[in-house]
Amino acid sequence: MKNKEHMNMTPHGLTVLSLTATLTLSACGGGSGGGSGGGAPLPPKLKLSNFQPAAVVIGQADFAGIRPNQNGAPDANTLQSLYGNPAVSDSGTLFIGDYGNHRVLAYNTIPTVNNAVADFVLGQPDFTTTEPGTFDGPQQISIAGGKMTTVRSRSRLPAAR
């Protein structure tokens, strides 16, 4: 890449690229955000039905909680505000765009308990920083071919691999 000012390495070896663009991504079916062919098999599909109650809540201590960042400071188990869709990688990592905290939280596996702690964060140096930067209001997330993209509120398209 010629213009290195738009490239950052995260602690987990993902390259985050900031590209100037304006576009809309729609949610794709399947576990990987719509990639086709090659790579690891998709995680097994969940058996869902209409009106099925949720089993786990992410970002709150329980199903009654509704306050941004659990009415406190941001951390690895809180979310400020959500827009768009999360995505699951071929390896089963769940990525959730946290619009208000300007970050993407990642869980190595889909949480099975309420108030789960994220395994790592993209777009911030730690779980408590919330300054706009690499991800300035991440929204739609899509993963295909081992790369992640997210539409941001400021008309830039970051990509990670």
Side-chain angles (χ1 to χ4, degrees), residues 28-35 42-44 46 85-96 107-111 141-144 148:
C28 299
S32 67
L42 295 174
L46 299 174
N85 61 289
V88 178
S89 71
D90 288 343
S91 64
T93 301
L94 172 65
F95 294 92
I96 299 176
Y107 302 81
N108 290 332
T109 59
I110 294 176
I141 297 175
S142 183
I143 299 173
M148 178 183 80

Side-chain angles (χ1 to χ4, degrees), residues 13-145:
L14 295 173
T15 303
V16 179
L17 306 173
S18 295
L19 308 172
T20 303
T22 302
L23 58 102
T24 301
L25 298 177
S26 59
C28 299
S32 67
S36 61
L42 295 174
K45 289 190 176 191
L46 299 174
K47 295 183 183 200
L48 302 175
S49 62
N50 288 336
F51 310 109
Q52 177 180 341
V56 172
V57 63
I58 299 172
Q60 296 290 334
D62 55 39
F63 285 95
I66 60 169
R67 302 282 183 197
N69 294 319
Q70 297 183 29
N71 210 29
D75 210 336
N77 63 329
T78 68
L79 295 164
Q80 203 273 350
S81 55
L82 306 171
Y83 292 96
N85 61 289
V88 178
S89 71
D90 288 343
S91 64
T93 301
L94 172 65
F95 294 92
I96 299 176
D98 186 358
Y99 180 89
N101 287 327
H102 309 291
R103 65 186 184 176
V104 173
L105 292 181
Y107 302 81
N108 290 332
T109 59
I110 294 176
T112 57
V113 297
N114 293 344
N115 209 25
V117 174
D119 294 297
F120 60 97
V121 62
L122 301 174
Q124 297 293 349
D126 54 45
F127 288 108
T128 59
T129 302
T130 62
E131 295 299 317
T134 302
F135 293 111
D136 186 5
Q139 296 176 22
Q140 303 287 353
I141 297 175
S142 183
I143 299 173

